[in-house]
Amino acid sequence: MNFDHILKQIKDAGFVYLGGFYPESHQTLALIGNAGPQMWQSFTTSCDTSSTTLDQWTETTITCLASTINATALFPFDTPPHPFLTWAQKSGETFTSPLGLSIHPRYGLWHGYRAALIFECILDLPAVTATKSPCDDCVEKPCLTKCPVNAFSLHGYDVPGCISHIKSGDGADCHELGCRARRSCPVGHKFHYSPQQAEFHMAAFVKAHG
Ligand code: B12
Ligand code: SF4
Ligand code: SF4
C-alpha cells in the first residue's frame, strides 16, 4: 500500500503523522496523534463529550481507521504503557525537550500521541522534517524558568507540586490555558491548544493524578 494513501486516511480521520520507523525487518510502525485543531474538532463534534472520554473516542476512531489500512493500533493509554516517547525518539521526527516531553520542529510541544499503527510490511515512510532539535538553538530555554512552582528541575518533574498549584487559586492560568512552562516555548506557537482543549486536558490530568 502507498504511504500517501495512508497519510490521507490519517488526515481525514483528524490526526497527523508524527514519525515512524522499522521495529523489525518486515514491520513498519507509524506514530499518529493530534497537532492543530482537527482532532479536537472531530472529537467534540462527533460525540457527547460528557459521556465519552477522549481515550474511548480515540480507540473507536483509530481502530476503525486501522482496519481500513491493514494496520494494528497500539494506544498510549494501554497498560502497561507502551514506550511512546522512546518510539518517538527512534523515529527521528521529534526530540526530547528539557521538560521530558517530545518537541516537534513544526508543532513544538503542542502535539500528543494518539496511537502507533503497526503494519506487517515495509512501507516507504516520509523523510524526517529536521535533523536537529529546536532546543539546540534555544539559548534562554524559557520552559525551564517559567513554571511558578519550579516543577521541572534536575530532580525530574514534581507532580504533586504541579497539581497542588493547578488546584490553587494562583494556578488558574495553568488550569485554564495549559501548562505555563509549555506555553513559554517559542516553537510552534500557532499550534497552541485552544483554551477549551487546554482546560479539558488539564482537568483530566488533575482528575487522574490529583
Ligand atoms: C505515566 C505518564 C505520565 C506521568 C509520568 C511521566 C514520566 N515521567 O514518564 C505523569 C502523570 C507525571 C505525566 C504527566 C504529563 N504527561 Co504523560 N504520560 C505518561 C504515559 C501514560 C506513560 C509514560 C511511561 O511510563 N512510559 C513507559 C516508559 C518506559 O517509556 P517511555 O515513555 O518511552 O520513557 C520516556 C519517558 O518516561 C520520558 N520522560 C522522562 N521524564 C519525563 C517527564 C515528563 C513530564 C514526561 C511527559 C516524559 C518524561 O523519558 C523516557 C525516555 O524517552 C505516556 C503515554 C505513553 N504510553 O507513553 C504519557 C505521555 C508521556 N504524557 C504526555 C503528556 C502530554 C503529559 C502532560 C503534559 C499531561 C497534560 N497536562 O496534558 C503531563 C506533563 C506535565 C504538565 N505539567 O502538563 C504525552 C507527551 C506528549 C509529548 N509531546 O511528548 C504522552 C506521550 C501521552 C500522549 N498521549 O501523547 N505523564
Ligand atoms: S523553550 Fe527552548 S529549550 Fe524549552 S522546549 Fe522550547 S525550544 Fe526547547
Ligand atoms: S502546569 Fe503549571 S505548575 Fe504544572 S508544571 Fe506547568 S507551569 Fe508548572
Side-chain angles (χ1 to χ4, degrees):
M1 193 184 295
N2 179 319
F3 205 73
D4 287 342
H5 169 72
I6 292 170
L7 285 177
K8 184 175 180 310
Q9 303 279 323
I10 291 170
K11 190 173 169 219
D12 289 350
F15 302 98
V16 293
Y17 168 74
L18 290 169
F21 65 98
Y22 305 108
E24 304 282 347
S25 58
H26 63 282
Q27 247 181 6
T28 306
L29 182 153
L31 294 165
I32 65 168
N34 61 285
Q38 290 78 12
M39 184 206 74
W40 180 249
Q41 275 164 9
S42 302
F43 170 54
T44 52
T45 55
S46 68
C47 67
D48 177 358
T49 58
S50 63
S51 56
T52 308
T53 66
L54 178 59
D55 289 350
Q56 288 166 339
W57 174 83
T58 299
E59 189 165 358
T60 308
T61 310
I62 295 183
T63 302
C64 177
L65 165 70
S67 76
T68 64
I69 52 179
N70 285 331
T72 305
L74 304 177
F75 297 98
F77 42 83
D78 288 340
T79 47
H82 303 292
F84 267 77
L85 295 187
T86 300
W87 289 344
Q89 278 171 39
K90 270 195 186 164
S91 79
E93 188 67 33
T94 50
F95 305 87
T96 303
S97 74
L99 299 183
L101 299 164
S102 73
I103 185 161
H104 186 280
R106 180 158 183 246
Y107 309 129
L109 301 171
W110 301 101
H111 67 281
Y113 298 92
R114 298 314 303 169
L117 299 173
I118 311 280
F119 300 87
E120 296 300 328
C121 60
I122 293 296
L123 293 166
D124 201 4
L125 293 169
V128 292
T129 316
T131 49
K132 81 181 215 185
S133 168
C135 301
D136 293 351
D137 294 326
C138 178
V139 179
E140 304 222 327
K141 303 205 179 337
C143 60
L144 288 175
T145 53
K146 291 290 185 283
C147 170
V149 292
N150 269 326
F152 296 105
S153 73
L154 290 176
H155 309 293
Y157 170 42
D158 173 12
V159 182
C162 166
I163 289 191
S164 62
H165 178 74
I166 300 173
K167 283 163 108 176
S168 73
D170 290 345
D173 177 57
C174 290
H175 196 243
E176 289 163 15
L177 299 174
C179 174
R180 191 187 284 185
R182 208 173 171 190
R183 277 187 286 131
S184 72
C185 174
V187 185
H189 249 263
K190 71 173 181 171
F191 296 98
H192 273 201
Y193 293 165
S194 67
Q196 293 79 11
Q197 185 178 356
E199 188 169 9
F200 174 89
H201 288 304
M202 273 303 176
F205 172 57
V206 171
K207 190 171 170 206
H209 306 286

